[in-house]
Amino acid sequence: MHGKYSHGGRHPHSNGYPHSGGHPQGHEISTIDYNENPFIVIWEVTRSCELKCVHCRADAQTKPHPNELTHEEGIKLIDDIYDLGNPMLVFTGGDCMMRKDLFELSEYAVKKGMRVSMTPSATDNVTKEKMQQAKEVGLSRWGISLDGPTPEIHDHFRGTSGSFDLTVEKIKYLNELNMPLQINTVISRYNYDSLEQMAALVGELKAVMWYIFLLVPTGRGQMDDCLTPAEHEKVFRWLYELGKTAPYDIKTTAAQHYRRVVIQQKSRERLIDKGDIRYEDSISDTAYLIDGLKRAPKGVNDGNGFIFVSHTGDVMPSGLLPIVVGNIREKPLKEIYRESPVLKEIRNPDLYKGKCGICEFRFVCGGSRSRTYAVTGDYLESEPFCVYIPEALGKKENSSTI
């Protein structure tokens, strides 16, 4: 990645600021306690998928699991999710389009007043008719993965020749239907040098959101494919500048330390006074200062405002942090989310180890718990891909050299 790409136009709702986290819908919520309710729930409705992505979290299979949640269990799950403060619900997979009752489940949730999105794979299963059906059902957004600006890069990522052309074709269908489009991109060694081209393409394809994932070495994702800590930092600073002019919003996942970068950059530009930020507050102005749309009242992290339900009902902090904390067939999701000892630990940044545990940004950032677990085997350890030295640690090192 080199230099900075400028779109020459400012997003009408961006206030000139990049967006570091929160709700994919841009839904404003003034108060929420992540100890009680999640901000977003991801339901892996199936693990079936026809693609063979090199970084697949789920290690997806070609056929549905025989123990997949039934339609009736899915309806009950939607009811349970609604009772958790009606968070955002995202259907994912595998390829969620391979679940036969997907639109029945979607319609049920929408009629309850839930905000529902889906992230299907761009395969022949995604027809214009199904896109029209999704719009009629009332889906809020359609997310499609695009991991490179060229067929060579994207098709290699997806393990399927022709995937890039098919993805662009499906996106054009969505544009014709005026369905809000979210483009999901995993940033790794494969596309690091093509991010400027990618940013331009996202704009050309009329996306309203660029949803960026920083690779976590789990599933088929490999450690050698991850960026270095310094490269992470470079990407974050580039995203900050891009967000000032991009014609779409930017959301990062597994990149919690981007929030720290945003605060630092805004402080340098005197857009905020760093001394005014109340890091310890669950609900404060911090999120607004970071995120002009105020999508979430504070930073979402694995198991902290975010929860994942697998195709067989297993509940995990996220799909990238594969620790099972319960199963909805045995306990209600509400009880699992609020009472799990693992989730309670994750939601307490004062328990974090290493520099994350003493970092002044730990309540705003907290590091990616999923990446920490994947690399160290301990979800409370310090984020291994962060270059920042906390103030407390810096003072300690300085005093020891005097």
PDB file of all heavy atoms in Angstrom, residues 40-42 44 47 57 218 301-304 306-328 333 336-337 340 342-343 346:
ATOM      1  N   ILE A  40     -24.882  -6.363  18.480  1.00  0.00           N
ATOM      2  CA  ILE A  40     -25.064  -7.068  17.212  1.00  0.00           C
ATOM      3  C   ILE A  40     -24.944  -8.570  17.451  1.00  0.00           C
ATOM      4  O   ILE A  40     -24.107  -9.017  18.245  1.00  0.00           O
ATOM      5  CB  ILE A  40     -24.024  -6.592  16.160  1.00  0.00           C
ATOM      6  CG1 ILE A  40     -24.244  -7.267  14.809  1.00  0.00           C
ATOM      7  CG2 ILE A  40     -22.599  -6.797  16.635  1.00  0.00           C
ATOM      8  CD1 ILE A  40     -23.434  -6.649  13.687  1.00  0.00           C
ATOM      9  N   VAL A  41     -25.803  -9.333  16.814  1.00  0.00           N
ATOM     10  CA  VAL A  41     -25.779 -10.794  16.900  1.00  0.00           C
ATOM     11  C   VAL A  41     -25.563 -11.353  15.497  1.00  0.00           C
ATOM     12  O   VAL A  41     -26.282 -11.005  14.559  1.00  0.00           O
ATOM     13  CB  VAL A  41     -27.082 -11.366  17.487  1.00  0.00           C
ATOM     14  CG1 VAL A  41     -27.044 -12.897  17.479  1.00  0.00           C
ATOM     15  CG2 VAL A  41     -27.305 -10.847  18.908  1.00  0.00           C
ATOM     16  N   ILE A  42     -24.587 -12.229  15.379  1.00  0.00           N
ATOM     17  CA  ILE A  42     -24.322 -12.908  14.112  1.00  0.00           C
ATOM     18  C   ILE A  42     -24.824 -14.340  14.234  1.00  0.00           C
ATOM     19  O   ILE A  42     -24.445 -15.061  15.158  1.00  0.00           O
ATOM     20  CB  ILE A  42     -22.809 -12.939  13.795  1.00  0.00           C
ATOM     21  CG1 ILE A  42     -22.209 -11.535  13.857  1.00  0.00           C
ATOM     22  CG2 ILE A  42     -22.569 -13.577  12.428  1.00  0.00           C
ATOM     23  CD1 ILE A  42     -22.667 -10.609  12.768  1.00  0.00           C
ATOM     24  N   GLU A  44     -24.830 -17.807  12.241  1.00  0.00           N
ATOM     25  CA  GLU A  44     -24.333 -18.630  11.143  1.00  0.00           C
ATOM     26  C   GLU A  44     -25.429 -19.642  10.816  1.00  0.00           C
ATOM     27  O   GLU A  44     -25.480 -20.709  11.400  1.00  0.00           O
ATOM     28  CB  GLU A  44     -23.043 -19.323  11.595  1.00  0.00           C
ATOM     29  CG  GLU A  44     -22.433 -20.275  10.580  1.00  0.00           C
ATOM     30  CD  GLU A  44     -21.338 -21.123  11.203  1.00  0.00           C
ATOM     31  OE1 GLU A  44     -21.642 -21.900  12.138  1.00  0.00           O
ATOM     32  OE2 GLU A  44     -20.187 -21.023  10.765  1.00  0.00           O
ATOM     33  N   ARG A  47     -23.377 -23.821   7.510  1.00  0.00           N
ATOM     34  CA  ARG A  47     -21.951 -23.823   7.189  1.00  0.00           C
ATOM     35  C   ARG A  47     -21.724 -24.276   5.752  1.00  0.00           C
ATOM     36  O   ARG A  47     -20.598 -24.390   5.285  1.00  0.00           O
ATOM     37  CB  ARG A  47     -21.187 -24.713   8.174  1.00  0.00           C
ATOM     38  CG  ARG A  47     -19.694 -24.539   8.105  1.00  0.00           C
ATOM     39  CD  ARG A  47     -18.965 -25.062   9.325  1.00  0.00           C
ATOM     40  NE  ARG A  47     -18.991 -24.100  10.411  1.00  0.00           N
ATOM     41  CZ  ARG A  47     -18.250 -24.181  11.512  1.00  0.00           C
ATOM     42  NH1 ARG A  47     -17.407 -25.195  11.663  1.00  0.00           N
ATOM     43  NH2 ARG A  47     -18.349 -23.279  12.461  1.00  0.00           N
ATOM     44  N   ARG A  57     -13.019 -18.673   7.934  1.00  0.00           N
ATOM     45  CA  ARG A  57     -13.133 -18.860   9.380  1.00  0.00           C
ATOM     46  C   ARG A  57     -13.801 -20.188   9.707  1.00  0.00           C
ATOM     47  O   ARG A  57     -13.419 -20.901  10.635  1.00  0.00           O
ATOM     48  CB  ARG A  57     -13.955 -17.711   9.980  1.00  0.00           C
ATOM     49  CG  ARG A  57     -14.480 -17.986  11.376  1.00  0.00           C
ATOM     50  CD  ARG A  57     -15.695 -17.140  11.698  1.00  0.00           C
ATOM     51  NE  ARG A  57     -16.822 -17.377  10.805  1.00  0.00           N
ATOM     52  CZ  ARG A  57     -17.640 -18.416  10.909  1.00  0.00           C
ATOM     53  NH1 ARG A  57     -17.454 -19.338  11.846  1.00  0.00           N
ATOM     54  NH2 ARG A  57     -18.641 -18.573  10.064  1.00  0.00           N
ATOM     55  N   THR A 218      -7.151 -17.937  12.141  1.00  0.00           N
ATOM     56  CA  THR A 218      -7.976 -19.029  12.645  1.00  0.00           C
ATOM     57  C   THR A 218      -8.692 -19.658  11.462  1.00  0.00           C
ATOM     58  O   THR A 218      -8.773 -19.066  10.389  1.00  0.00           O
ATOM     59  CB  THR A 218      -8.984 -18.517  13.694  1.00  0.00           C
ATOM     60  OG1 THR A 218      -9.632 -19.637  14.314  1.00  0.00           O
ATOM     61  CG2 THR A 218     -10.039 -17.619  13.064  1.00  0.00           C
ATOM     62  N   ASN A 301     -16.587  -5.345  20.839  1.00  0.00           N
ATOM     63  CA  ASN A 301     -15.493  -6.303  20.792  1.00  0.00           C
ATOM     64  C   ASN A 301     -16.074  -7.705  20.927  1.00  0.00           C
ATOM     65  O   ASN A 301     -17.266  -7.870  21.214  1.00  0.00           O
ATOM     66  CB  ASN A 301     -14.489  -6.029  21.926  1.00  0.00           C
ATOM     67  CG  ASN A 301     -13.073  -6.498  21.586  1.00  0.00           C
ATOM     68  OD1 ASN A 301     -12.890  -7.467  20.870  1.00  0.00           O
ATOM     69  ND2 ASN A 301     -12.078  -5.804  22.119  1.00  0.00           N
ATOM     70  N   ASP A 302     -15.260  -8.712  20.715  1.00  0.00           N
ATOM     71  CA  ASP A 302     -15.711 -10.101  20.817  1.00  0.00           C
ATOM     72  C   ASP A 302     -16.336 -10.344  22.187  1.00  0.00           C
ATOM     73  O   ASP A 302     -15.689 -10.141  23.218  1.00  0.00           O
ATOM     74  CB  ASP A 302     -14.526 -11.051  20.632  1.00  0.00           C
ATOM     75  CG  ASP A 302     -13.742 -10.768  19.366  1.00  0.00           C
ATOM     76  OD1 ASP A 302     -14.293 -10.975  18.283  1.00  0.00           O
ATOM     77  OD2 ASP A 302     -12.580 -10.327  19.479  1.00  0.00           O
ATOM     78  N   GLY A 303     -17.587 -10.777  22.211  1.00  0.00           N
ATOM     79  CA  GLY A 303     -18.248 -11.079  23.467  1.00  0.00           C
ATOM     80  C   GLY A 303     -18.647  -9.860  24.269  1.00  0.00           C
ATOM     81  O   GLY A 303     -19.238  -9.985  25.343  1.00  0.00           O
ATOM     82  N   ASN A 304     -18.327  -8.706  23.767  1.00  0.00           N
ATOM     83  CA  ASN A 304     -18.605  -7.443  24.457  1.00  0.00           C
ATOM     84  C   ASN A 304     -19.386  -6.538  23.508  1.00  0.00           C
ATOM     85  O   ASN A 304     -18.821  -5.719  22.799  1.00  0.00           O
ATOM     86  CB  ASN A 304     -17.293  -6.788  24.886  1.00  0.00           C
ATOM     87  CG  ASN A 304     -17.503  -5.574  25.764  1.00  0.00           C
ATOM     88  OD1 ASN A 304     -18.582  -5.372  26.317  1.00  0.00           O
ATOM     89  ND2 ASN A 304     -16.478  -4.753  25.882  1.00  0.00           N
ATOM     90  N   PHE A 306     -21.024  -7.958  21.127  1.00  0.00           N
ATOM     91  CA  PHE A 306     -21.024  -8.794  19.922  1.00  0.00           C
ATOM     92  C   PHE A 306     -21.114 -10.246  20.372  1.00  0.00           C
ATOM     93  O   PHE A 306     -20.394 -10.666  21.273  1.00  0.00           O
ATOM     94  CB  PHE A 306     -19.721  -8.554  19.157  1.00  0.00           C
ATOM     95  CG  PHE A 306     -19.617  -9.244  17.822  1.00  0.00           C
ATOM     96  CD1 PHE A 306     -19.726  -8.514  16.648  1.00  0.00           C
ATOM     97  CD2 PHE A 306     -19.384 -10.604  17.727  1.00  0.00           C
ATOM     98  CE1 PHE A 306     -19.609  -9.134  15.404  1.00  0.00           C
ATOM     99  CE2 PHE A 306     -19.274 -11.234  16.497  1.00  0.00           C
ATOM    100  CZ  PHE A 306     -19.384 -10.492  15.333  1.00  0.00           C
ATOM    101  N   ILE A 307     -21.990 -11.014  19.748  1.00  0.00           N
ATOM    102  CA  ILE A 307     -22.087 -12.438  20.076  1.00  0.00           C
ATOM    103  C   ILE A 307     -22.404 -13.226  18.805  1.00  0.00           C
ATOM    104  O   ILE A 307     -23.043 -12.707  17.883  1.00  0.00           O
ATOM    105  CB  ILE A 307     -23.150 -12.692  21.178  1.00  0.00           C
ATOM    106  CG1 ILE A 307     -22.916 -14.029  21.876  1.00  0.00           C
ATOM    107  CG2 ILE A 307     -24.554 -12.556  20.627  1.00  0.00           C
ATOM    108  CD1 ILE A 307     -21.680 -14.055  22.754  1.00  0.00           C
ATOM    109  N   PHE A 308     -21.956 -14.465  18.777  1.00  0.00           N
ATOM    110  CA  PHE A 308     -22.048 -15.312  17.586  1.00  0.00           C
ATOM    111  C   PHE A 308     -22.749 -16.621  17.936  1.00  0.00           C
ATOM    112  O   PHE A 308     -22.424 -17.252  18.949  1.00  0.00           O
ATOM    113  CB  PHE A 308     -20.631 -15.599  17.072  1.00  0.00           C
ATOM    114  CG  PHE A 308     -20.552 -16.523  15.890  1.00  0.00           C
ATOM    115  CD1 PHE A 308     -20.553 -16.019  14.590  1.00  0.00           C
ATOM    116  CD2 PHE A 308     -20.440 -17.895  16.061  1.00  0.00           C
ATOM    117  CE1 PHE A 308     -20.460 -16.868  13.494  1.00  0.00           C
ATOM    118  CE2 PHE A 308     -20.349 -18.753  14.980  1.00  0.00           C
ATOM    119  CZ  PHE A 308     -20.357 -18.234  13.693  1.00  0.00           C
ATOM    120  N   VAL A 309     -23.705 -17.017  17.094  1.00  0.00           N
ATOM    121  CA  VAL A 309     -24.403 -18.290  17.261  1.00  0.00           C
ATOM    122  C   VAL A 309     -24.106 -19.152  16.038  1.00  0.00           C
ATOM    123  O   VAL A 309     -24.348 -18.735  14.898  1.00  0.00           O
ATOM    124  CB  VAL A 309     -25.923 -18.097  17.411  1.00  0.00           C
ATOM    125  CG1 VAL A 309     -26.606 -19.446  17.627  1.00  0.00           C
ATOM    126  CG2 VAL A 309     -26.241 -17.150  18.579  1.00  0.00           C
ATOM    127  N   SER A 310     -23.587 -20.338  16.264  1.00  0.00           N
ATOM    128  CA  SER A 310     -23.192 -21.211  15.161  1.00  0.00           C
ATOM    129  C   SER A 310     -24.391 -21.937  14.553  1.00  0.00           C
ATOM    130  O   SER A 310     -25.511 -21.886  15.073  1.00  0.00           O
ATOM    131  CB  SER A 310     -22.164 -22.242  15.641  1.00  0.00           C
ATOM    132  OG  SER A 310     -22.818 -23.341  16.255  1.00  0.00           O
ATOM    133  N   HIS A 311     -24.146 -22.643  13.473  1.00  0.00           N
ATOM    134  CA  HIS A 311     -25.193 -23.378  12.760  1.00  0.00           C
ATOM    135  C   HIS A 311     -25.792 -24.496  13.605  1.00  0.00           C
ATOM    136  O   HIS A 311     -26.908 -24.942  13.337  1.00  0.00           O
ATOM    137  CB  HIS A 311     -24.631 -23.951  11.451  1.00  0.00           C
ATOM    138  CG  HIS A 311     -23.479 -24.901  11.649  1.00  0.00           C
ATOM    139  ND1 HIS A 311     -22.314 -24.532  12.267  1.00  0.00           N
ATOM    140  CD2 HIS A 311     -23.330 -26.208  11.307  1.00  0.00           C
ATOM    141  CE1 HIS A 311     -21.475 -25.566  12.295  1.00  0.00           C
ATOM    142  NE2 HIS A 311     -22.070 -26.587  11.722  1.00  0.00           N
ATOM    143  N   THR A 312     -25.075 -24.943  14.636  1.00  0.00           N
ATOM    144  CA  THR A 312     -25.594 -25.990  15.513  1.00  0.00           C
ATOM    145  C   THR A 312     -26.026 -25.440  16.877  1.00  0.00           C
ATOM    146  O   THR A 312     -26.313 -26.214  17.794  1.00  0.00           O
ATOM    147  CB  THR A 312     -24.538 -27.094  15.723  1.00  0.00           C
ATOM    148  OG1 THR A 312     -23.340 -26.514  16.269  1.00  0.00           O
ATOM    149  CG2 THR A 312     -24.219 -27.795  14.417  1.00  0.00           C
ATOM    150  N   GLY A 313     -26.039 -24.117  17.021  1.00  0.00           N
ATOM    151  CA  GLY A 313     -26.527 -23.503  18.247  1.00  0.00           C
ATOM    152  C   GLY A 313     -25.472 -23.160  19.271  1.00  0.00           C
ATOM    153  O   GLY A 313     -25.791 -22.614  20.338  1.00  0.00           O
ATOM    154  N   ASP A 314     -24.202 -23.489  18.984  1.00  0.00           N
ATOM    155  CA  ASP A 314     -23.133 -23.115  19.904  1.00  0.00           C
ATOM    156  C   ASP A 314     -22.978 -21.596  19.932  1.00  0.00           C
ATOM    157  O   ASP A 314     -23.025 -20.942  18.881  1.00  0.00           O
ATOM    158  CB  ASP A 314     -21.807 -23.747  19.493  1.00  0.00           C
ATOM    159  CG  ASP A 314     -21.723 -25.225  19.837  1.00  0.00           C
ATOM    160  OD1 ASP A 314     -22.454 -25.650  20.747  1.00  0.00           O
ATOM    161  OD2 ASP A 314     -20.939 -25.946  19.188  1.00  0.00           O
ATOM    162  N   VAL A 315     -22.769 -21.045  21.119  1.00  0.00           N
ATOM    163  CA  VAL A 315     -22.598 -19.606  21.287  1.00  0.00           C
ATOM    164  C   VAL A 315     -21.127 -19.324  21.575  1.00  0.00           C
ATOM    165  O   VAL A 315     -20.513 -19.983  22.427  1.00  0.00           O
ATOM    166  CB  VAL A 315     -23.481 -19.073  22.432  1.00  0.00           C
ATOM    167  CG1 VAL A 315     -23.289 -17.569  22.610  1.00  0.00           C
ATOM    168  CG2 VAL A 315     -24.948 -19.400  22.158  1.00  0.00           C
ATOM    169  N   MET A 316     -20.553 -18.355  20.874  1.00  0.00           N
ATOM    170  CA  MET A 316     -19.155 -17.991  21.029  1.00  0.00           C
ATOM    171  C   MET A 316     -19.037 -16.472  21.100  1.00  0.00           C
ATOM    172  O   MET A 316     -19.911 -15.745  20.612  1.00  0.00           O
ATOM    173  CB  MET A 316     -18.332 -18.515  19.850  1.00  0.00           C
ATOM    174  CG  MET A 316     -18.515 -19.995  19.556  1.00  0.00           C
ATOM    175  SD  MET A 316     -17.623 -20.497  18.060  1.00  0.00           S
ATOM    176  CE  MET A 316     -18.452 -22.056  17.695  1.00  0.00           C
ATOM    177  N   PRO A 317     -17.938 -15.956  21.677  1.00  0.00           N
ATOM    178  CA  PRO A 317     -17.736 -14.504  21.707  1.00  0.00           C
ATOM    179  C   PRO A 317     -17.778 -13.905  20.307  1.00  0.00           C
ATOM    180  O   PRO A 317     -18.277 -12.803  20.104  1.00  0.00           O
ATOM    181  CB  PRO A 317     -16.359 -14.353  22.347  1.00  0.00           C
ATOM    182  CG  PRO A 317     -16.186 -15.596  23.159  1.00  0.00           C
ATOM    183  CD  PRO A 317     -16.867 -16.679  22.384  1.00  0.00           C
ATOM    184  N   SER A 318     -17.242 -14.633  19.340  1.00  0.00           N
ATOM    185  CA  SER A 318     -17.355 -14.273  17.925  1.00  0.00           C
ATOM    186  C   SER A 318     -16.989 -15.500  17.116  1.00  0.00           C
ATOM    187  O   SER A 318     -16.455 -16.470  17.671  1.00  0.00           O
ATOM    188  CB  SER A 318     -16.428 -13.093  17.555  1.00  0.00           C
ATOM    189  OG  SER A 318     -15.100 -13.530  17.359  1.00  0.00           O
ATOM    190  N   GLY A 319     -17.230 -15.444  15.826  1.00  0.00           N
ATOM    191  CA  GLY A 319     -16.870 -16.572  14.976  1.00  0.00           C
ATOM    192  C   GLY A 319     -15.379 -16.758  14.861  1.00  0.00           C
ATOM    193  O   GLY A 319     -14.902 -17.830  14.487  1.00  0.00           O
ATOM    194  N   LEU A 320     -14.635 -15.693  15.191  1.00  0.00           N
ATOM    195  CA  LEU A 320     -13.178 -15.749  15.128  1.00  0.00           C
ATOM    196  C   LEU A 320     -12.550 -16.104  16.470  1.00  0.00           C
ATOM    197  O   LEU A 320     -11.342 -16.234  16.572  1.00  0.00           O
ATOM    198  CB  LEU A 320     -12.635 -14.396  14.642  1.00  0.00           C
ATOM    199  CG  LEU A 320     -13.071 -13.978  13.237  1.00  0.00           C
ATOM    200  CD1 LEU A 320     -12.680 -12.532  12.966  1.00  0.00           C
ATOM    201  CD2 LEU A 320     -12.469 -14.894  12.184  1.00  0.00           C
ATOM    202  N   LEU A 321     -13.373 -16.219  17.509  1.00  0.00           N
ATOM    203  CA  LEU A 321     -12.898 -16.623  18.833  1.00  0.00           C
ATOM    204  C   LEU A 321     -13.685 -17.877  19.219  1.00  0.00           C
ATOM    205  O   LEU A 321     -14.692 -17.804  19.923  1.00  0.00           O
ATOM    206  CB  LEU A 321     -13.115 -15.500  19.854  1.00  0.00           C
ATOM    207  CG  LEU A 321     -12.161 -15.463  21.048  1.00  0.00           C
ATOM    208  CD1 LEU A 321     -12.403 -14.206  21.890  1.00  0.00           C
ATOM    209  CD2 LEU A 321     -12.251 -16.708  21.914  1.00  0.00           C
ATOM    210  N   PRO A 322     -13.233 -19.037  18.744  1.00  0.00           N
ATOM    211  CA  PRO A 322     -14.029 -20.279  18.825  1.00  0.00           C
ATOM    212  C   PRO A 322     -14.001 -20.963  20.185  1.00  0.00           C
ATOM    213  O   PRO A 322     -13.630 -22.123  20.312  1.00  0.00           O
ATOM    214  CB  PRO A 322     -13.390 -21.138  17.738  1.00  0.00           C
ATOM    215  CG  PRO A 322     -11.956 -20.709  17.725  1.00  0.00           C
ATOM    216  CD  PRO A 322     -11.979 -19.227  18.003  1.00  0.00           C
ATOM    217  N   ILE A 323     -14.418 -20.221  21.212  1.00  0.00           N
ATOM    218  CA  ILE A 323     -14.604 -20.813  22.535  1.00  0.00           C
ATOM    219  C   ILE A 323     -16.100 -20.917  22.778  1.00  0.00           C
ATOM    220  O   ILE A 323     -16.797 -19.897  22.819  1.00  0.00           O
ATOM    221  CB  ILE A 323     -13.950 -19.954  23.630  1.00  0.00           C
ATOM    222  CG1 ILE A 323     -12.425 -19.903  23.444  1.00  0.00           C
ATOM    223  CG2 ILE A 323     -14.297 -20.496  25.012  1.00  0.00           C
ATOM    224  CD1 ILE A 323     -11.724 -19.040  24.465  1.00  0.00           C
ATOM    225  N   VAL A 324     -16.617 -22.117  22.928  1.00  0.00           N
ATOM    226  CA  VAL A 324     -18.050 -22.314  23.135  1.00  0.00           C
ATOM    227  C   VAL A 324     -18.400 -21.981  24.580  1.00  0.00           C
ATOM    228  O   VAL A 324     -17.861 -22.580  25.514  1.00  0.00           O
ATOM    229  CB  VAL A 324     -18.461 -23.759  22.800  1.00  0.00           C
ATOM    230  CG1 VAL A 324     -19.950 -23.965  23.076  1.00  0.00           C
ATOM    231  CG2 VAL A 324     -18.149 -24.079  21.337  1.00  0.00           C
ATOM    232  N   VAL A 325     -19.307 -21.018  24.752  1.00  0.00           N
ATOM    233  CA  VAL A 325     -19.707 -20.591  26.099  1.00  0.00           C
ATOM    234  C   VAL A 325     -21.112 -21.075  26.446  1.00  0.00           C
ATOM    235  O   VAL A 325     -21.633 -20.766  27.517  1.00  0.00           O
ATOM    236  CB  VAL A 325     -19.622 -19.052  26.234  1.00  0.00           C
ATOM    237  CG1 VAL A 325     -18.187 -18.586  26.067  1.00  0.00           C
ATOM    238  CG2 VAL A 325     -20.542 -18.349  25.228  1.00  0.00           C
ATOM    239  N   GLY A 326     -21.725 -21.837  25.557  1.00  0.00           N
ATOM    240  CA  GLY A 326     -23.055 -22.374  25.805  1.00  0.00           C
ATOM    241  C   GLY A 326     -23.703 -22.789  24.506  1.00  0.00           C
ATOM    242  O   GLY A 326     -23.123 -22.611  23.420  1.00  0.00           O
ATOM    243  N   ASN A 327     -24.893 -23.345  24.585  1.00  0.00           N
ATOM    244  CA  ASN A 327     -25.641 -23.729  23.393  1.00  0.00           C
ATOM    245  C   ASN A 327     -27.103 -23.364  23.608  1.00  0.00           C
ATOM    246  O   ASN A 327     -27.664 -23.622  24.672  1.00  0.00           O
ATOM    247  CB  ASN A 327     -25.515 -25.229  23.114  1.00  0.00           C
ATOM    248  CG  ASN A 327     -26.096 -25.631  21.772  1.00  0.00           C
ATOM    249  OD1 ASN A 327     -27.308 -25.625  21.572  1.00  0.00           O
ATOM    250  ND2 ASN A 327     -25.224 -25.974  20.831  1.00  0.00           N
ATOM    251  N   ILE A 328     -27.715 -22.761  22.604  1.00  0.00           N
ATOM    252  CA  ILE A 328     -29.088 -22.259  22.759  1.00  0.00           C
ATOM    253  C   ILE A 328     -30.099 -23.380  22.895  1.00  0.00           C
ATOM    254  O   ILE A 328     -31.234 -23.145  23.299  1.00  0.00           O
ATOM    255  CB  ILE A 328     -29.480 -21.344  21.584  1.00  0.00           C
ATOM    256  CG1 ILE A 328     -29.461 -22.128  20.258  1.00  0.00           C
ATOM    257  CG2 ILE A 328     -28.569 -20.119  21.521  1.00  0.00           C
ATOM    258  CD1 ILE A 328     -30.346 -21.551  19.204  1.00  0.00           C
ATOM    259  N   LEU A 333     -30.325 -17.703  25.003  1.00  0.00           N
ATOM    260  CA  LEU A 333     -29.197 -16.864  24.626  1.00  0.00           C
ATOM    261  C   LEU A 333     -28.980 -15.750  25.655  1.00  0.00           C
ATOM    262  O   LEU A 333     -27.837 -15.394  25.958  1.00  0.00           O
ATOM    263  CB  LEU A 333     -29.443 -16.260  23.237  1.00  0.00           C
ATOM    264  CG  LEU A 333     -28.323 -15.370  22.685  1.00  0.00           C
ATOM    265  CD1 LEU A 333     -27.024 -16.151  22.544  1.00  0.00           C
ATOM    266  CD2 LEU A 333     -28.734 -14.768  21.334  1.00  0.00           C
ATOM    267  N   ILE A 336     -26.980 -17.085  28.535  1.00  0.00           N
ATOM    268  CA  ILE A 336     -25.593 -17.352  28.142  1.00  0.00           C
ATOM    269  C   ILE A 336     -24.813 -16.044  28.041  1.00  0.00           C
ATOM    270  O   ILE A 336     -23.705 -15.921  28.585  1.00  0.00           O
ATOM    271  CB  ILE A 336     -25.546 -18.106  26.798  1.00  0.00           C
ATOM    272  CG1 ILE A 336     -26.193 -19.482  26.934  1.00  0.00           C
ATOM    273  CG2 ILE A 336     -24.094 -18.252  26.318  1.00  0.00           C
ATOM    274  CD1 ILE A 336     -26.387 -20.208  25.605  1.00  0.00           C
ATOM    275  N   TYR A 337     -25.387 -15.074  27.349  1.00  0.00           N
ATOM    276  CA  TYR A 337     -24.684 -13.804  27.128  1.00  0.00           C
ATOM    277  C   TYR A 337     -24.389 -13.098  28.444  1.00  0.00           C
ATOM    278  O   TYR A 337     -23.293 -12.566  28.651  1.00  0.00           O
ATOM    279  CB  TYR A 337     -25.496 -12.890  26.216  1.00  0.00           C
ATOM    280  CG  TYR A 337     -24.792 -11.576  25.926  1.00  0.00           C
ATOM    281  CD1 TYR A 337     -23.806 -11.500  24.935  1.00  0.00           C
ATOM    282  CD2 TYR A 337     -25.080 -10.436  26.655  1.00  0.00           C
ATOM    283  CE1 TYR A 337     -23.138 -10.307  24.686  1.00  0.00           C
ATOM    284  CE2 TYR A 337     -24.419  -9.235  26.408  1.00  0.00           C
ATOM    285  CZ  TYR A 337     -23.453  -9.181  25.426  1.00  0.00           C
ATOM    286  OH  TYR A 337     -22.784  -8.006  25.187  1.00  0.00           O
ATOM    287  N   SER A 340     -22.219 -16.045  31.284  1.00  0.00           N
ATOM    288  CA  SER A 340     -21.018 -16.821  30.970  1.00  0.00           C
ATOM    289  C   SER A 340     -19.780 -16.235  31.655  1.00  0.00           C
ATOM    290  O   SER A 340     -19.480 -15.046  31.498  1.00  0.00           O
ATOM    291  CB  SER A 340     -20.785 -16.850  29.455  1.00  0.00           C
ATOM    292  OG  SER A 340     -19.444 -17.212  29.162  1.00  0.00           O
ATOM    293  N   VAL A 342     -16.695 -16.701  30.900  1.00  0.00           N
ATOM    294  CA  VAL A 342     -15.756 -16.268  29.861  1.00  0.00           C
ATOM    295  C   VAL A 342     -16.137 -14.882  29.340  1.00  0.00           C
ATOM    296  O   VAL A 342     -15.287 -13.993  29.220  1.00  0.00           O
ATOM    297  CB  VAL A 342     -15.730 -17.278  28.691  1.00  0.00           C
ATOM    298  CG1 VAL A 342     -14.928 -16.719  27.510  1.00  0.00           C
ATOM    299  CG2 VAL A 342     -15.134 -18.602  29.149  1.00  0.00           C
ATOM    300  N   LEU A 343     -17.404 -14.682  29.035  1.00  0.00           N
ATOM    301  CA  LEU A 343     -17.849 -13.395  28.512  1.00  0.00           C
ATOM    302  C   LEU A 343     -17.694 -12.291  29.551  1.00  0.00           C
ATOM    303  O   LEU A 343     -17.358 -11.151  29.213  1.00  0.00           O
ATOM    304  CB  LEU A 343     -19.293 -13.490  28.034  1.00  0.00           C
ATOM    305  CG  LEU A 343     -19.560 -14.473  26.888  1.00  0.00           C
ATOM    306  CD1 LEU A 343     -21.032 -14.453  26.504  1.00  0.00           C
ATOM    307  CD2 LEU A 343     -18.692 -14.166  25.685  1.00  0.00           C
ATOM    308  N   ILE A 346     -14.077 -11.262  29.439  1.00  0.00           N
ATOM    309  CA  ILE A 346     -13.779 -10.493  28.230  1.00  0.00           C
ATOM    310  C   ILE A 346     -14.313  -9.069  28.350  1.00  0.00           C
ATOM    311  O   ILE A 346     -13.700  -8.121  27.832  1.00  0.00           O
ATOM    312  CB  ILE A 346     -14.382 -11.199  26.999  1.00  0.00           C
ATOM    313  CG1 ILE A 346     -13.589 -12.463  26.665  1.00  0.00           C
ATOM    314  CG2 ILE A 346     -14.409 -10.258  25.791  1.00  0.00           C
ATOM    315  CD1 ILE A 346     -14.157 -13.265  25.522  1.00  0.00           C
TER     316      ILE A 346
END
